Amino acid sequence: MTQEQANTWIVTSLAVSGALVIVRDAADSKVPPVRLAIGLTVAGVLLGTLAQAAPALAGGFAIVLLLSSSLVYGGKAWKTLGDLLP
């Protein structure tokens, strides 16, 4: 995996993870926690730094982050989005 590919996976996984948490919280009429922004920022910085030294490892971690957040938050998020659409 190249550094560009790893960076693409990192940005995609962080965006999807953040969006799933925001949709989940919106379903419960809650404001997303500040720790979400802090966590996404820290994860982005750490994975971006790792991508410079070991892109395959950083890309792998990003894929695991994407899959785990989809499994944990995805069900409720997709149900919420399905309820919003006619």
Side-chain angles (χ1 to χ4, degrees):
M1 180 177 299
T2 66
Q3 185 175 352
E4 291 178 13
Q5 291 172 328
N7 287 335
T8 301
W9 277 110
I10 292 166
V11 170
T12 302
S13 68
L14 293 175
V16 169
S17 298
L20 289 174
V21 172
I22 289 170
V23 170
R24 181 207 61 181
D25 287 345
D28 296 335
S29 299
K30 295 190 309 188
V31 176
V34 174
R35 65 186 175 141
L36 172 66
I38 295 170
L40 290 175
T41 302
V42 169
V45 169
L46 292 176
L47 287 174
T49 304
L50 182 60
Q52 293 179 2
L57 187 59
F61 278 134
I63 292 170
V64 168
L65 174 66
L66 176 64
L67 292 175
S68 63
S69 62
S70 296
L71 290 173
V72 172
Y73 302 118
K76 189 164 190 173
W78 286 115
K79 182 182 180 318
T80 301
L81 290 174
D83 292 344
L84 293 175
L85 299 174

